[in-house]
């Protein structure tokens, strides 16, 4: 079954690539696709892709507008093609694309907003994972260098110089209800590092602000460092307090 799904996804991706490359599809005993027909395929594909982006990046679209988002969508299709039959899996490179455009110079916070939205989107779609409570008993092991902590499904961390989470929250309102004065106030703040954790909690995406030390700890944890190395690298870190919080906030999956 899995092999059949992969084969179908590969065929779909190949077809999309041919359509946007302008290559006509010529199955046996079929006429070549005319240029007009190809254009229809392209337009339909672009509409589908734009709709997918609007669902994955609703705040980014509100901030950019539909026309700019549609233009970015066309460019994104030229560098990232769908890898599965589910369009919700596509679009993760939008923030990288924005950083290569003139938008980065005038609105450098936009790429961070897009990055945050994609991680929220991934957290929302992640398969729920429960804490393996029995694995906590391994904390009593003497050799902590053999012990590693694994985060829950859909957990990611990001660093931003802008009030990304606050801007995202404001734009949960309808466009006509957005407090533009508050948006202006937030954007006028001087850049400073902010640290965010995005995860799934109670089956919903959740954003949590971290301190710099917590962010660095989580980065090292996700890089696969063992507990002994973590405690050596962060001697002042309150592991006991963090562990309690990690369990309560559903950050932790298991210890092995």
């Amino acid at each position: 079954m899995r092999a059949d799904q992969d084969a179908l996804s590969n065929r779909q991706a190949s077809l999309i690539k041919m359509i946007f490359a302008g290559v006509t599809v010529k199955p046996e005993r079929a006429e070549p696709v005319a240029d007009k027909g190809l254009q229809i395929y392209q337009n339909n594909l672009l509409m589908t892709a734009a709709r997918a982006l609007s669902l994955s990046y609703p705040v980014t679209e509100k901030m950019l507008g539909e026309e700019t988002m549609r233009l970015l969508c066309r460019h994104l299709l030229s560098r990232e093609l769908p890898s599965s039959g589910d369009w919700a899996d596509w679009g993760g490179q939008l923030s990288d694309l924005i950083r290569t455009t003139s938008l980065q110079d005038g609105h450098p916070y936009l790429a961070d907003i897009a990055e945050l939205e994609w991680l929220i989107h991934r957290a929302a779609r992640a398969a729920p994972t429960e804490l393996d409570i029995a694995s906590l008993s391994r904390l009593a092991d003497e050799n902590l260098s053999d012990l590693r902590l694994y985060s829950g499904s859909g957990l990611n961390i990001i660093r931003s110089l802008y009030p990304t989470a606050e801007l995202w929250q404001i734009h949960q309102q309808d466009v006509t209800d957005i407090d533009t004065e508050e948006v202006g106030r937030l954007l006028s703040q001087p850049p400073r590092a902010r640290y965010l954790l995005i995860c799934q909690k109670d089956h919903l995406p959740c954003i949590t602000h971290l301190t710099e030390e917590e962010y660095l700890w989580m980065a090292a944890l996700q890089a696969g460092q063992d507990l002994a190395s973590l405690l050596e690298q962060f001697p002042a870190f309150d592991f006991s307090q963090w562990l309690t919080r990690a369990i309560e906030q559903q950050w932790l999956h298991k210890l092995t």
Side-chain angles (χ1 to χ4, degrees):
M1 180 65 72
R2 180 61 184 177
D4 292 340
Q5 291 176 341
D6 290 343
L8 176 59
S9 296
N10 290 336
R11 287 197 297 272
Q12 291 170 333
S14 297
L15 178 59
I16 291 170
K17 186 174 183 179
M18 284 189 289
I19 290 173
F20 262 84
V23 179
T24 56
V25 182
K26 299 179 181 179
E28 284 189 27
R29 300 180 184 178
E31 294 296 325
V33 178
D35 289 344
K36 184 176 181 180
L38 182 61
Q39 186 176 8
I40 292 174
Y41 274 116
Q42 290 175 336
N43 289 338
N44 287 342
L45 184 60
L46 181 59
M47 289 177 61
T48 300
R51 174 61 176 165
L53 282 192
S54 71
L55 294 174
S56 301
Y57 297 95
V59 169
T60 306
E61 184 171 83
K62 285 180 183 178
M63 299 182 82
L64 288 172
E66 290 185 13
E67 287 303 314
T68 301
M69 198 69 166
R70 187 179 177 87
L71 180 61
L72 286 171
C73 180
R74 181 179 289 276
H75 285 294
L76 189 59
L77 279 169
S78 69
R79 61 187 291 172
E80 179 192 355
L81 291 173
S83 58
S84 74
D86 189 348
W87 278 95
D89 294 332
W90 175 78
Q93 294 184 29
L94 181 62
S95 59
D96 292 336
L97 173 61
I98 292 175
R99 291 187 175 97
T100 68
T101 70
S102 58
L103 289 169
Q104 183 66 16
D105 295 329
H107 308 279
Y109 54 88
L110 283 172
D112 287 6
I113 291 288
E115 183 179 2
L116 174 63
E117 281 209 281
W118 181 251
L119 296 182
I120 291 172
H121 175 68
R122 288 187 59 188
R125 287 173 51 80
T129 54
E130 296 183 359
L131 173 65
D132 182 352
I133 297 178
S135 69
L136 297 179
S137 63
R138 293 211 58 194
L139 289 171
D141 294 352
E142 293 184 4
N143 190 2
L144 296 181
S145 61
D146 291 335
L147 185 60
R148 284 177 171 77
L149 298 86
Y150 292 88
S151 58
S153 176
L155 185 146
N156 283 282
I157 55 174
I158 59 172
R159 175 185 181 275
S160 177
L161 295 176
Y162 311 98
T164 310
E166 290 79 2
L167 289 168
W168 177 84
Q169 185 61 52
I170 286 177
H171 284 83
Q172 299 309 299
Q173 305 292 327
D174 292 335
V175 174
T176 55
D177 296 329
I178 293 173
D179 188 341
T180 54
E181 290 188 3
E182 179 64 10
V183 171
R185 186 190 68 80
L186 289 170
L187 293 178
S188 67
Q189 295 179 6
R192 65 174 178 82
R194 296 163 170 88
Y195 307 96
L196 303 174
L197 181 150
I198 301 91
C199 70
Q200 185 186 104
K201 181 182 179 184
D202 297 329
H203 307 288
L204 293 173
C206 177
I207 303 173
T208 302
H209 287 269
L210 301 177
T211 65
E212 181 179 13
E213 186 179 39
E214 289 171 336
Y215 171 84
L216 294 174
W217 168 276
M218 291 298 301
L221 183 154
Q222 291 199 303
Q225 289 195 28
D226 59 72
L227 184 55
S229 298
L230 286 169
L231 294 174
E232 182 178 356
Q233 184 178 347
F234 302 93
F237 190 78
D238 191 333
F239 173 65
S240 177
Q241 184 181 55
W242 175 86
L243 182 62
T244 300
R245 187 183 183 194
I247 294 173
E248 291 175 349
Q249 297 301 315
Q250 300 174 19
W251 296 348
L252 197 60
H253 173 40
K254 63 181 180 180
L255 289 77
T256 62

